[in-house]
Amino acid sequence: MRILTATEIRELEAREVSRGVSEEILMERAGKGMARVCLREWDRPCSVVVLVGKGNNGGDGLVLARELARFGWPVSVVLTAWPEAMSPLCAKKWKEISSLRCVSVCCPGQPIPWPGGGGLVVDALLGIGVKGEVQEPLRSLFVECNRQRSERFFSVLAVDCPSGLSEGFQPGWPVIGADLTATVGYGKEFLFREEFADYVGRIEVVPIFEEQPSGEGAEALVPSSLAYLLPPRPKLCHKGQFGRVLIIGGSLGFAGAVVMAAQAAHGVGAGLVCVATRDEVYTVVASKAPAETMVFRVENRELLTQLAARSNAIGFGPGIGLDSTAVELARFLVENTRCPMVWDADALTLLAHHPELWTGMKKRAIVTPHPGEMRRLLGRDFALEERPFVAQELATEKDCIVVLKGVRTVVASPTRPLRLNTTGNPGLAAGGSGDTLTGVLVGLLAQGLSIEDAAGLGVWLHGRAADLAVRYRKAEEGLTATEVGRMLGQAIHSLRQEGWTPYHPRTNDGFGGFNPR
Ligand SMILES: NC(=O)C1=CN([C@@H]2O[C@H](COP(=O)(O)OP(=O)(O)OC[C@H]3O[C@@H](n4cnc5c(N)ncnc54)[C@H](OP(=O)(O)O)[C@@H]3O)[C@@H](O)[C@H]2O)[C@@H](O)CC1
Ligand SMILES: [K+]
């Protein structure tokens, strides 16, 4: 799904309106879509305080408030302007909600009933209509909201964008920080900037437009563009149909890496998973790996040659080390195999030291550097805002897929537009996450996905598994790669659910049969 500028979004809105879809319908779709996000993300109703601005962003917030109240959530609406000062649509939505007895109202100037931990504040103060730095009286409200959030630990959902954030945003300007931004229609370019991640939090795109914008540009990895990539699971099947994975890695002190990768390859549905590891950790790996994994010694080159020849995809690098054996293995892979590969961790350091290895990886490899590994591969430093460009540069130069990890992981390909991920959370910033991602990617490749599709789908699934793990365990702290690996089935299920009901406004009003009315 394309990522647009605020101007492109406005143009799309104008075209939609000229085709007869009123602004009010678009607002209803936006507010209802966000209610759907809330109903999915919070397993039970919580106290909601909706901060309502006087523009159409406030109108979206009022539709969301109305829908949540209809689902029985305790909702308080906080007005920051009297109806006379509101935009016509916002005033109309206010009129609708004010007739509902189940919503409590806080008028301008009254104390705000901030919720406690577990509660939700909806920031519907300013959307893409903000101009420049936010002025009083909203400025003080921003400061107050951020302070209350840091003391009370409620969650913040930003409607369309965190209030105050815009394309021309300057460091130091006030913004309401959000945990989740439910953005309207299409992803906006400024929301995906790595340096704004602390304001934006996780991104959900709420579709409202029927038109697909044309033109080139970066895309967001979202369920509607990924669900159809999930490998089919025919009923008449056998394990050979779901691919053979070979993971090569592990050395003294780093035995767990291949175990996590193998677990993840199983987790995305690979039919057979083999691990080839060093003699020194063979026993540890064989005892720790999932019971379904076959574990072999990497030193038995004849066996390794046979395994590699039978494999549909190979993952190389987790914990393999940097010594001459590792270099020899890298050479063996680029010279003697033809299947798609994922290179991660130590394999990337080997690549940086032995650039001639790249030649054997063209058109069939996904490399998954974190920023430190990317610096080694490029031989230079780069700034946060350069991430998409350096990933593209490397992908084009080496003719392979580059997955540059980060808050908005970048997937760069020589043949497709850049893609930016929308899933994942800071719990993933821990040892082992990369190994799990390697397993996910190689598991998908083995099932026949192209390197482009496996990279996009795998990155999204890995992040979603981490998000679901946090939703169930309630904290990012202490999230382990093994827990993420265990959630991959749930992530696939959630992708099918979200991608299966693609928004089609004419037929389902955005709720996919979910709307109680
Ligand atoms: N795109 C779409 O297709 C759809 C978009 N939709 C929604 O509409 C939103 C855009 O709505 P919008 O245009 O009414 O602007 P919005 O963000 O509410 O802000 C306007 C208010 O901001 C104020 N203000 C401005 N600068 C300020 C400052 N520095 N400091 C303080 N105040 C400042 C300004 O005040 P004024 O300058 O007029 O006094 C005015 O009151 C969009 O984000 C999305 O949520 C949906 O409804 C569905 C379809
Ligand atoms: K907002």
Side-chain angles (χ1 to χ4, degrees), residues 57 123-127 158-163:
N57 193 252
D123 157 25
L125 291 169
L126 297 170
V159 169
D160 204 18
C161 59
S163 292

Coordinates of all heavy atoms in Angstrom, one line a residue, residues 57 123-127 158-163, ligand 2:
N57 N -10.3 16.4 12.3 CA -9.7 15.4 13.2 C -10.5 15.1 14.4 O -10.7 14.0 14.8 CB -8.3 15.9 13.5 CG -7.4 14.7 14.1 OD1 -7.1 14.7 15.3 ND2 -7.0 13.8 13.3
D123 N -6.3 10.9 21.0 CA -5.8 12.2 20.7 C -6.5 12.6 19.3 O -5.9 12.1 18.3 CB -4.3 12.2 20.6 CG -3.8 13.4 19.8 OD1 -4.5 14.4 19.6 OD2 -2.6 13.2 19.3
A124 N -7.6 13.3 19.3 CA -8.2 13.7 18.1 C -8.2 15.3 18.1 O -9.2 15.9 17.8 CB -9.6 13.2 18.0
L125 N -7.1 15.8 18.5 CA -7.0 17.3 18.6 C -6.7 17.9 17.2 O -7.4 18.8 16.7 CB -6.0 17.7 19.6 CG -6.4 17.4 21.1 CD1 -5.2 17.5 22.0 CD2 -7.6 18.3 21.5
L126 N -5.6 17.5 16.6 CA -5.1 18.0 15.4 C -4.7 16.9 14.4 O -4.0 16.0 14.9 CB -3.9 19.0 15.6 CG -4.2 20.2 16.4 CD1 -2.8 20.9 16.7 CD2 -5.1 21.2 15.7
G127 N -5.1 17.0 13.2 CA -4.6 16.0 12.2 C -3.7 16.7 11.2 O -2.8 17.4 11.6
A158 N -3.4 7.9 18.6 CA -3.5 9.1 17.8 C -4.4 8.9 16.6 O -4.3 7.9 15.9 CB -2.1 9.5 17.4
V159 N -5.3 9.8 16.5 CA -6.2 9.8 15.3 C -5.5 10.5 14.1 O -5.2 11.7 14.2 CB -7.6 10.5 15.6 CG1 -8.4 10.7 14.4 CG2 -8.3 9.7 16.7
D160 N -5.3 9.7 13.1 CA -4.6 10.1 11.8 C -3.1 10.4 12.0 O -2.3 9.9 11.3 CB -5.3 11.3 11.2 CG -5.0 11.4 9.7 OD1 -4.6 10.3 9.2 OD2 -5.2 12.4 9.1
C161 N -2.8 11.3 13.0 CA -1.4 11.5 13.3 C -1.3 12.0 14.7 O -2.3 12.6 15.2 CB -0.7 12.4 12.3 SG -1.5 14.0 12.2
P162 N -0.1 11.9 15.4 CA 0.0 12.5 16.7 C -0.2 14.1 16.5 O 0.4 14.7 15.7 CB 1.4 12.2 17.1 CG 1.8 11.0 16.3 CD 1.1 11.2 15.0
S163 N -1.0 14.6 17.4 CA -1.3 16.1 17.2 C 0.0 16.9 17.3 O 0.8 16.7 18.3 CB -2.3 16.5 18.3 OG -3.6 16.0 18.0
Ligands
K2 K -4.5 13.6 16.2

